[in-house]
C-alpha cells in the first residue's frame, strides 16, 4: 500500500534514486536485456496504451470493427478450401458416329465411329486404343494414323481429348450393335491409372438393299473366290472312266465376309453316280489385328461311278452381294461330263500261272565249242542249285523230314523273293498270287488269316493301285501327299517266310490219326 498522504502511482524519492526507473507498463523484475530488445516496441506500446486515443480515421473504432468483420468473412470463405484436399482428375469415354450419320442404313454403306477419351488435366501416358470394336455382322477396321487431339469445355472446365476412328461396313440385315468389348485403361496427369467402363453401345438398323431380297442366306463381302480341283490329276471330259472308279472333287471358298453362316456348296446327286460329302475344314488368316480376317473353307466330295454311259457331275453356283460395287454377283464353277465304260474284266487272282514254253532244241550241227559251253553252264547251274538247297536247309527253310514243296510253289517262292528284293510291286503281287494258288486249301486259308501277311498285302495293294498317292482315287486318297518313293518288299518277305516254314514242317510224331465216323 502507499503511505498515507502520498498520491497513488508515485514512488518514494529514495526508490526513484536507488533503482532505475522502469518504463510505464513494464512489470517489476523485467531484465535490462528485455528492455534492450523490446525497449522501443514496449515503449511505443506503452505510449500507445497510455496515450489518449486519436480521433483520426485510421484509428477509429468503426474502422477497426470493419477490418475485423472483413477478416472473419475471408476466413470463413477459405475454411472449406483448407479443410478439403484437392479433387482427383476426371476421365470419361464416349462412343459416337462421325458426322451426321443416320441410324438407318443399307448393307454396304460405310460409316465412321469415333471412340473418344477425355481427361480433366492431361494424358500422363499414351492410351492403348483397341484394334477393333465389337460389331456382330459387320466389318470393322481402324482408320490409319495417330489419334486426333482435341480440347473442349465441359461444366466450366477445360478437357483434353484423344479421338480414334473406326470404319464400319455392315454385312448383315437387322439391328447392329457397336460396342467396346473391354474396359479401357487411362492415366490422367496428376492422378492414378483408371480403367474406364465401356460406354453405352450404338444401335443401328441395317436393311437389305434393293435387288438382293432373294439372296438366302444373305452373304455380303468385298471379296469372294471359288476354286476347285479334281482327282485323278488332269481329269477331263476326254478321260476314260469305268464303272467303279472314284472321282474326288474339292471346292475352296476364300472370302472376307462376316456372315455368321456361309452356305455349303451343293455337290448335287448326279444320275449314274453316288456322292459322299466330307466335313468342311475352315481356317482364318489376319494380316494384323486392325484388318478384316480372310476366311478359307475347303470341302471335298467323292463320286462313285455306278452305271455305264454319260455321267454329268453338276456345276456349283454361289450368289452373294458385292459390297464394293453394290450389286448382286454369282460365282460359278463348271461341272464335268464323263463317258463311263463298263467295268474291265479282271483276272482271277488265284488262277495258276501258265506253264513256261519249253526251250527250243539246239540246231543241228552246233559246234563243239557251243556244246562245251552249254555243258559248263548246266554244271554251274546244278552246283548253284545244290548250294542254294544246302543253305536253305541250313537256315531251316525246309526242315529235315518235311514234305518238299511242289514245283509250282518253289517257282512262285523264288519269283516272290526276287521281286521283293528288287522292290518290284507288280511282280511281287503276281508271284504271291501264284504261291497262294499252289497251296492246298487248308494251308491257303491259314495264310490268308495271318495278320502279318494281311498287313503286307494291304501295303502292296496301296502301292500298286495308287491308294495313298497324290492324284489317286479311292477312300484312302491323300491329295496333299507327295508321290510314293517306292515299295519295300522286306515286310512281305518276312511275313511269308515263317508261314512257309510252318507249312513245310513235318507233323508231330505223337499226333493222333484222323478219325472218321
Amino acid at each position: 500500500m502507499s503511505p498515507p498522504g502520498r498520491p497513488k502511482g508515485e514512488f518514494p524519492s529514495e526508490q526513484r534514486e536507488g533503482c532505475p526507473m522502469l518504463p510505464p507498463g513494464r512489470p517489476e523484475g523485467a531484465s535490462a536485456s528485455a528492455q534492450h530488445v523490446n525497449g522501443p516496441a514496449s515503449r511505443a506500446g506503452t505510449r500507445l496504451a497510455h496515450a489518449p486515443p486519436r480521433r483520426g480515421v485510421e484509428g477509429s473504432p468503426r474502422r477497426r470493427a470493419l477490418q475485423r468483420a472483413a477478416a472473419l468473412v475471408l476466413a470463413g470463405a477459405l475454411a472449406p478450401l483448407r479443410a478439403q484436399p484437392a479433387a482427383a482428375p476426371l476421365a470419361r469415354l464416349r462412343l459416337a458416329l462421325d458426322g451426321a450419320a443416320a441410324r438407318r442404313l443399307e448393307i454396304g454403306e460405310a460409316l465412321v465411329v469415333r471412340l473418344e477419351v477425355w481427361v480433366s488435366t492431361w494424358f500422363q501416358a499414351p492410351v492403348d486404343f483397341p484394334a477393333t470394336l465389337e460389331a456382330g455382322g459387320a466389318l470393322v477396321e481402324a482408320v490409319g494414323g495417330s489419334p486426333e487431339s482435341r480440347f473442349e469445355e465441359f461444366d466450366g472446365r477445360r478437357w483434353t481429348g484423344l479421338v480414334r476412328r473406326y470404319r464400319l461396313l455392315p454385312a448383315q440385315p437387322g439391328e447392329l450393335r457397336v460396342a467396346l468389348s473391354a474396359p479401357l485403361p487411362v492415366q490422367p496427369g496428376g492422378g492414378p491409372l483408371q480403367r474406364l467402363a465401356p460406354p453405352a453401345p450404338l444401335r443401328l438398323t441395317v436393311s437389305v438393299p434393293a435387288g438382293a431380297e432373294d439372296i438366302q442366306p444373305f452373304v455380303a463381302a468385298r471379296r469372294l473366290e471359288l476354286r476347285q480341283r479334281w482327282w485323278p490329276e488332269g481329269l477331263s471330259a476326254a478321260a476314260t472312266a469305268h464303272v467303279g472308279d472314284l472321282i474326288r472333287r474339292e471346292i475352296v471358298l476364300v472370302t472376307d465376309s462376316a456372315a455368321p453362316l456361309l452356305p455349303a456348296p451343293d455337290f448335287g446327286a448326279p444320275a449314274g453316280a453316288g456322292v459322299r460329302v466330307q466335313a468342311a475344314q475352315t481356317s482364318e488368316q489376319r494380316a494384323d489385328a486392325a484388318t478384316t480376317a480372310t476366311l478359307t473353307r475347303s470341302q471335298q466330295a467323292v463320286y462313285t461311278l455306278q452305271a455305264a454311259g454319260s455321267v454329268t457331275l453338276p456345276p456349283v453356283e454361289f450368289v452373294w452381294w458385292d459390297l464394293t460395287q453394290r450389286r448382286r454377283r454369282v460365282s460359278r464353277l463348271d461341272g464335268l461330263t464323263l463317258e463311263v465304260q463298263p467295268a474291265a474284266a479282271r483276272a482271277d487272282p488265284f488262277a495258276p500261272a501258265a506253264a513256261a514254253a519249253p526251250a527250243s532244241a539246239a540246231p543241228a550241227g552246233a559246234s563243239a565249242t557251243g556244246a562245251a559251253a552249254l555243258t559248263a553252264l548246266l554244271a554251274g547251274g546244278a552246283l548253284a542249285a545244290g548250294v542254294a538247297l544246302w543253305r536253305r536247309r541250313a537256315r531251316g527253310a525246309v526242315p529235315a523230314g518235311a514234305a518238299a514243296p511242289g514245283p509250282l510253289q518253289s517257282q512262285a517262292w523264288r519269283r516272290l523273293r526276287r521281286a521283293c528284293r528288287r522292290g518290284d510291286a507288280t511282280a511281287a503281287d503276281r508271284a504271291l498270287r501264284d504261291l497262294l494258288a499252289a497251296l492246298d486249301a487248308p494251308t491257303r486259308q491259314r495264310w490268308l488269316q495271318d495278320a502279318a501277311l494281311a498287313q503286307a498285302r494291304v501295303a502292296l495293294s496301296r502301292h500298286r493301285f495308287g491308294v495313298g498317292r497324290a492324284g489317286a482315287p479311292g477312300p484312302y486318297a491323300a491329295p496333299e501327299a507327295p508321290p510314293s518313293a517306292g515299295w519295300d518288299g522286306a515286310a512281305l518277305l518276312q511275313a511269308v517266310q515263317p508261314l512257309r516254314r510252318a507249312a513245310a514242317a513235318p507233323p508231330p510224331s505223337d499226333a493222333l490219326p484222323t478219325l472218321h465216323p
Side-chain angles (χ1 to χ4, degrees):
M1 293 181 62
S2 302
R6 182 181 299 170
K8 291 182 180 181
E10 295 184 3
F11 293 93
S13 59
E14 61 270 19
Q15 286 184 339
R16 292 195 302 267
E17 295 174 357
C19 65
M21 193 69 174
L22 292 176
R26 181 193 299 176
E28 295 182 9
S31 62
S33 61
Q35 178 185 0
H36 175 74
V37 175
N38 301 325
S42 300
R43 289 192 296 270
T46 304
R47 287 195 299 268
L48 290 174
H50 290 274
R54 291 182 297 174
R55 297 301 180 181
V57 178
E58 296 181 357
S60 64
R62 185 177 179 181
R63 177 75 174 183
R64 289 195 298 271
L66 291 176
Q67 291 178 350
R68 285 195 297 269
L72 290 176
V73 172
L74 182 60
L78 296 178
L81 298 180
R82 290 196 301 266
Q84 295 181 359
L90 303 178
R92 62 179 64 178
L93 279 178
R94 186 166 62 186
L95 197 63
L97 296 178
D98 198 3
R103 297 280 176 162
R104 299 183 63 88
L105 66 158
E106 291 185 354
I107 294 178
E109 293 184 6
L111 69 157
V112 176
V113 179
R114 300 193 314 270
L115 179 60
E116 304 176 0
V117 183
W118 297 91
V119 294
S120 59
T121 54
W122 67 91
F123 289 98
Q124 188 169 340
V127 179
D128 187 13
F129 284 94
T132 184
L133 298 177
E134 180 182 353
L139 306 177
V140 183
E141 56 186 7
V143 178
S146 302
E148 178 187 352
S149 301
R150 283 190 177 182
F151 300 94
E152 291 189 7
E153 295 289 337
F154 293 114
D155 300 332
R157 180 182 296 182
R158 184 179 176 86
W159 291 69
T160 305
L162 291 176
V163 179
R164 166 66 74 182
R165 287 179 169 81
Y166 300 86
R167 184 177 295 105
L168 185 69
L169 190 63
Q172 285 296 310
E175 184 182 16
L176 179 61
R177 180 179 178 273
V178 184
L180 186 64
S181 58
L184 186 65
V186 177
Q187 187 169 8
L193 179 67
Q194 302 182 25
R195 294 188 176 274
L196 304 181
L202 296 176
R203 298 185 182 275
L204 308 172
T205 301
V206 184
S207 59
V208 177
E213 295 84 355
D214 61 333
I215 302 178
Q216 295 295 335
F218 188 85
V219 176
R222 287 178 294 190
R223 174 194 177 195
L224 193 146
E225 299 178 8
L226 288 180
R227 310 167 188 165
Q228 72 174 351
R229 295 176 61 189
W230 298 90
W231 285 273
E233 292 287 350
L235 184 65
S236 63
T240 302
H242 296 83
V243 174
D245 289 349
L246 302 179
I247 307 299
R248 183 178 294 271
R249 184 182 191 180
E250 180 187 25
I251 297 179
V252 180
L253 170 68
V254 181
T255 181
D256 61 352
S257 174
L261 179 63
L262 292 174
D266 184 10
F267 290 94
V275 60
R276 185 175 69 253
V277 180
Q278 301 178 359
Q281 299 180 356
T282 305
S283 62
E284 278 192 8
Q285 292 182 352
R286 191 186 299 269
D288 52 67
T291 59
T292 304
T294 299
L295 176 68
T296 303
R297 190 184 66 182
S298 172
Q299 194 166 11
Q300 295 184 5
V302 178
Y303 297 98
T304 304
L305 304 182
Q306 299 173 347
S310 179
V311 176
T312 300
L313 307 181
V316 174
E317 291 185 352
F318 205 95
V319 183
W320 56 287
W321 182 260
D322 192 337
L323 293 174
T324 304
Q325 302 180 8
R326 297 185 56 78
R327 66 182 182 91
R328 168 197 176 105
R329 295 187 60 181
V330 178
S331 296
R332 177 185 175 88
L333 294 174
D334 296 333
L336 184 63
T337 301
L338 299 173
E339 294 297 330
V340 183
Q341 305 295 330
R346 301 182 183 275
D348 184 5
F350 300 105
S360 57
S367 61
T369 305
L374 180 60
T375 303
L377 181 61
L378 293 177
L383 180 61
V387 172
L389 180 62
W390 176 82
R391 291 180 62 185
R392 217 168 28 247
R393 288 180 177 276
R395 289 197 307 264
V398 181
L408 294 179
Q409 183 178 351
S410 300
Q411 293 176 7
W413 163 248
R414 288 195 295 271
R415 289 190 287 110
L416 175 62
R417 186 171 55 189
R418 288 195 300 268
C420 290
R421 289 175 179 175
R422 291 197 311 266
D424 189 349
T426 303
D429 182 69
R430 188 180 300 111
L432 179 60
R433 294 180 182 181
D434 295 344
L435 181 59
L436 291 173
L439 300 174
D440 56 346
T443 305
R444 184 188 308 116
Q445 189 66 22
R446 288 196 304 270
W447 282 38
L448 293 177
Q449 294 177 355
D450 184 72
L453 181 59
Q455 185 176 1
R457 293 181 66 194
V458 168
L460 179 62
S461 299
R462 287 182 177 177
H463 179 81
R464 283 200 63 207
F465 301 108
V467 181
R469 298 177 56 184
Y476 301 97
E480 66 279 4
S484 177
W487 174 74
D488 186 9
L492 180 60
L493 196 61
Q494 293 176 3
V496 174
Q497 282 180 349
L499 294 176
R500 193 164 179 271
R501 294 193 193 101
S509 57
D510 56 349
L512 296 177
T514 303
L515 300 181
H516 300 280

